[in-house]
Amino acid sequence: MTPPTGRPSGTSDSRERILASARKLFAAKGFQQTSLRSIAADAGVDVALISHYFDHKRGLFLAVADIPIDPAQVVSRLHDVPIEHMGSALLRQVLTIWSSPAGPGLIAVFRSSLGGEPEIVRDLVTNLVAPALRARLLDSVSDVDQRLPLAATQITGVMVVRHILQIEPVASMSIDQVVKAVGPNVDRLLTGDLE
């Protein structure tokens, strides 16, 4: 008997059940410890239906977090940036995305994280953003696992001051002004002297 082809079977509310189960399990166990099979079982659907709706685990996670852009795409744009300027380039990418139509969704996710639900943002950073940055920096610095969280403090601080707290003059500075002021410090934290 040949397996059925085409769209996996599922009720019309399957996508919402998958999202609800994924949200619950990602929050309880984290990204790495949550399998697609466990989500499918909790939602009462075939695991193939998750792939149909979300392509892969990362896609499901991004849908749960309601993040309108894949962080891997942001990091991939840094491929040709000289390593010593990667921090400034990353900061520019993040500022540009947060100032785009995707910004309100990111701000909402970030606010919920600051309000006592840090799991989604922490998993987003540690499991989707950091590995790609780590791979890029590994040949240049030996202490990359120390440097990435340090650089994250700078970028996160800028996002909080600019978009959450809206403290002036940072809230109304141009992206170029913010990158010029803060970018060199992010560069240093990623690849410069930490002494």
Side-chain angles (χ1 to χ4, degrees), residues 35-182:
S35 70
L36 290 181
R37 289 193 186 285
S38 67
I39 293 168
D42 189 78
V45 301
D46 187 284
V47 72
L49 199 56
I50 295 175
S51 296
H52 170 73
Y53 284 125
F54 304 101
D55 290 331
H56 40 64
K57 186 175 174 181
R58 186 177 74 237
L60 176 57
F61 183 81
L62 293 172
V64 165
D66 197 22
I67 302 222
I69 188 163
D70 187 339
Q73 292 175 349
V74 175
V75 175
S76 72
R77 295 177 190 148
L78 305 175
H79 186 270
D80 295 327
V81 173
I83 201 79
E84 65 273 10
H85 299 297
M86 200 167 86
S88 291
L90 177 61
L91 177 61
R92 180 176 299 282
Q93 286 291 317
V94 171
L95 286 165
T96 300
I97 291 166
W98 278 55
S99 296
S100 76
L106 294 168
I107 292 167
V109 170
F110 210 78
R111 279 187 191 277
S112 71
S113 177
L114 294 174
E117 298 176 2
E119 299 83 8
I120 295 291
V121 172
R122 181 179 57 232
D123 278 352
L124 175 74
V125 171
T126 59
N127 295 303
L128 301 183
V129 177
L133 289 172
R134 186 179 193 283
R136 178 84 201 285
L137 291 168
L138 207 50
D139 291 338
S140 301
V141 293
S142 61
D143 53 353
V144 67
D145 293 325
Q146 176 185 357
R147 290 173 177 275
L148 286 172
L150 289 171
T153 65
Q154 297 297 294
I155 294 172
T156 303
V158 169
M159 297 303 106
V160 169
V161 168
R162 184 175 174 88
H163 293 284
I164 307 291
L165 301 176
Q166 299 180 350
I167 297 174
E168 294 296 349
V170 177
S172 59
M173 290 171 77
S174 71
I175 290 173
D176 287 340
Q177 289 172 315
V178 176
V179 171
K180 184 177 180 182
V182 181

